Amino acid sequence: MSSTTTLQKAGDPSGNSGDTQPSDGLKAGLKNRHLSMIAIGGVIGAGLFVGSGGGIAKAGPAILISYLLVGAMVVFVMRMLGEMAAASPNSGSFSAYADRALGRWAGFSIGWLYWFFWVVVLAVEATAGAKILEGWVPAVPQWGWALIVMVVLTITNLGSVSSYGEFEFWFAGIKVVAIGAFVIVGMLAVFGVLPGSDNPGAGFAHLTDAGGFMPNGWGSILTGVLMVVFSFMGSEIVTLAAGESEDPRRAVTKATNSVIWRIGVFYLGSIFIVLTLLPWNDKSIVEKGSYVAALDSIGIAHAGQIMNVIVLTAVLSCLNSGMYTASRMAFSLGERGDAPKVFAKVNKKGVPTAAILGSVVFGFAAVYFNYTSPDTVFSFLLNSSGAIALFVWLVICLTQLRMRKILVREAPEKLTVKMWLFPYLTWATAAMITFVLGYMVYDKDNRETVMLSLLVAAVVLVIGVVRDVRRKAAARA
């Protein structure tokens, strides 16, 4: 039975007939501890460790407001998605919900765009991991490491969903422990009570002692938003994975309720520590990276190598989740007849082999182009997928507006998680996302990314609408 058919059953908008076994052929191989760590690790990408220095250099301490604004936006989007996912756990997540609430064209379009985003991410993360590994073992060329990493994680995902869950559990665990330790040690150093610290411990003085809290004006906050928004992509993965868990509704509810503290601690908390350990205009923040610079200021030996290990873990985690996420979206699209039917087939272990291999093949092609045509083909792939995260969040908002009415009408007892201040906060979130997209068009550094992403989205949308029209015409014939 397809996801869409199940979703449209009268009185049961749930994608599952029960909480312990998906009805679509996938196996409930993810344990609650896997889901908990996937939820936590989903908001900690390599972008947090690598890209935060640039944001600090642009906005100064006011980058905290940028993180707060984007963090709030993600919390609201996750609450909306959690409302729908708790009522209807589904491997297609927001794509399946858009299919039901907005139309087949919407589910098709956002599903394929999301798949495209993650297969391009595979190439980006494989290359980033390969650079670190080549630095440790230069005898193996960078492309060789990229190939090795892709092959190993492909085999892992092909094994079973529990293999993915176990790898992600440990990858995410390392990230969580690392950031937790950084926040605790950093806070002690900030107040000058860390034994052996080289940092004098200025308390909160660095937040204002180099030109004030907002040294580059209000506009820098918006610039900061554009620089940090994409590091939050991945928080929605838990709603796709929930469909293969032992207790999907409980897992989604727990993940949705915990997203506030996760963003608060991991993003705002860690960036706050960096800004209180060093003046925002310290050159080492950009040259070494914000976390390495902060650790160096304390006097932590081999800070650069320690951070390389953590970044590599984040990269492998993102790569692992990217393969999983792209394959499950392809699987869901195949089930609904919006992708080759072979993508909807699973092996005896409940693994959608064809969907995984199809996604990985495109990922390998993107890696190839990254080395052979970095300034042409790969640059196009990268830029044309850059704004898709915002498209996904906007569609989630619009879908939830319609899906709430469907759930209230057909199965109100399944509304165990509800969006706050509905519909006003949903509309406000959609407006904020639209504003960010508009500001990207205005900002010359992001204009190409958003325009190419809109071009690709328009092409996919046209295909989706044409398919929908033909499907309806065939049904009437």
Side-chain angles (χ1 to χ4, degrees):
M1 183 181 293
S2 74
S3 311
T4 304
T5 304
T6 307
L7 277 165
Q8 293 176 341
K9 285 174 65 178
D12 182 15
S14 171
N16 291 334
S17 57
D19 280 348
T20 58
Q21 182 62 44
S23 62
D24 50 17
L26 299 173
K27 299 294 184 183
L30 294 175
K31 301 181 184 298
N32 287 331
R33 67 181 178 88
H34 292 151
L35 262 292
S36 296
M37 202 57 78
I38 288 169
I40 294 171
V43 296
I44 311 173
L48 173 62
F49 301 107
V50 178
S52 55
I56 292 172
K58 286 285 187 181
I63 194 68
L64 288 170
I65 299 179
S66 303
Y67 274 105
L68 183 63
L69 289 172
V70 177
M73 188 168 68
V74 172
V75 167
F76 298 150
V77 169
M78 280 298 295
R79 186 73 182 185
M80 294 176 226
L81 187 53
E83 175 180 298
M84 296 183 287
S88 175
N90 191 290
S91 60
S93 188
F94 51 83
S95 173
Y97 309 141
D99 200 327
R100 173 76 172 107
L102 303 178
R104 294 290 299 273
W105 59 270
F108 172 92
S109 302
I110 204 63
W112 276 113
L113 286 172
Y114 192 68
W115 177 86
F116 175 59
F117 171 85
W118 279 109
V119 292
V120 173
V121 166
L122 294 183
V124 175
E125 300 297 339
T127 303
K131 287 180 179 178
I132 296 173
L133 290 166
E134 184 189 29
W136 294 344
V137 186
V140 179
Q142 191 179 113
W143 67 265
W145 278 120
L147 181 63
I148 291 170
V149 166
M150 288 280 284
V151 168
V152 169
L153 290 180
T154 299
I155 293 171
T156 299
N157 276 265
L158 287 171
S160 66
V161 67
S162 60
S163 297
Y164 156 72
E166 201 62 34
F167 266 72
E168 192 56 26
F169 177 82
W170 292 106
F171 285 152
I174 292 171
K175 293 188 291 185
V176 169
V177 170
I179 292 186
F182 176 80
V183 171
I184 293 171
V185 171
M187 187 60 73
L188 293 174
V190 166
F191 291 104
V193 294
L194 181 67
S197 173
D198 293 341
N199 193 295
F204 301 142
H206 288 320
L207 293 176
T208 56
D209 65 3
F213 183 76
M214 205 176 298
N216 297 323
W218 286 97
S220 65
I221 294 176
L222 294 177
T223 301
V225 165
L226 299 187
M227 297 185 74
V228 307
V229 66
F230 302 108
S231 64
F232 282 83
M233 191 64 171
S235 55
E236 70 291 330
I237 291 174
V238 68
T239 63
L240 282 82
E244 294 176 79
S245 68
E246 298 170 335
D247 190 350
R249 291 190 179 90
R250 178 176 176 272
V252 167
T253 301
K254 185 177 179 181
T256 302
N257 291 336
S258 65
V259 70
I260 296 176
W261 73 259
R262 287 185 275 130
I263 289 176
V265 172
F266 299 132
Y267 278 86
L268 289 172
S270 60
I271 297 300
F272 177 80
I273 293 299
V274 172
L275 289 166
T276 48
L277 284 173
L278 292 166
W280 69 271
N281 55 359
D282 190 304
K283 293 181 179 179
S284 65
I285 291 178
V286 174
E287 292 172 355
K288 298 179 180 179
S290 55
Y291 290 83
V292 174
L295 291 173
D296 276 345
S297 78
I298 297 172
I300 302 295
H302 310 295
Q305 287 304 319
I306 292 172
M307 194 51 59
N308 272 340
V309 172
I310 296 170
V311 171
L312 179 62
T313 302
V315 163
L316 295 177
S317 172
C318 189
L319 194 57
N320 191 40
S321 289
M323 286 186 184
Y324 173 84
T325 305
S327 65
R328 277 9 179 225
M329 186 57 73
F331 168 82
S332 179
L333 289 166
E335 267 206 316
R336 288 176 273 149
D338 289 332
K341 286 291 185 184
V342 69
F343 282 180
K345 294 182 178 180
V346 298
N347 61 20
K348 293 179 180 179
K349 294 182 179 180
V351 175
T353 305
I356 292 174
L357 292 177
S359 302
V360 169
V361 165
F362 194 98
F364 273 118
V367 171
Y368 171 78
F369 288 126
N370 193 14
Y371 288 107
T372 60
S373 311
D375 299 323
T376 52
V377 178
F378 187 73
S379 177
F380 171 79
L381 292 175
L382 197 60
N383 286 318
S384 60
S385 64
I388 287 175
L390 291 167
F391 299 163
V392 168
W393 294 343
L394 185 59
V395 167
I396 289 172
C397 294
L398 300 178
T399 300
Q400 191 260 340
L401 287 167
R402 295 289 299 276
M403 199 67 179
R404 167 68 75 89
K405 296 177 182 178
I406 294 172
L407 288 168
V408 168
R409 182 176 68 247
E410 297 184 358
E413 73 280 0
K414 293 188 181 296
L415 275 170
T416 55
V417 176
K418 290 186 177 181
M419 175 59 182
W420 307 296
L421 298 177
F422 178 83
Y424 309 108
L425 198 50
T426 300
W427 279 115
T429 306
M432 182 178 178
I433 295 169
T434 304
F435 173 79
V436 172
L437 284 168
Y439 192 74
M440 286 181 71
V441 175
Y442 169 78
D443 184 76
K444 66 181 189 315
D445 293 331
N446 290 278
R447 189 174 300 137
E448 182 181 10
T449 294
V450 72
M451 296 307 292
L452 285 177
S453 295
L454 283 169
L455 174 63
V456 170
V459 171
V460 175
L461 182 61
V462 168
I463 295 172
V465 170
V466 170
R467 284 173 56 88
D468 204 15
V469 170
R470 288 181 176 176
R471 187 182 292 113
K472 289 177 181 178
R476 289 193 298 267

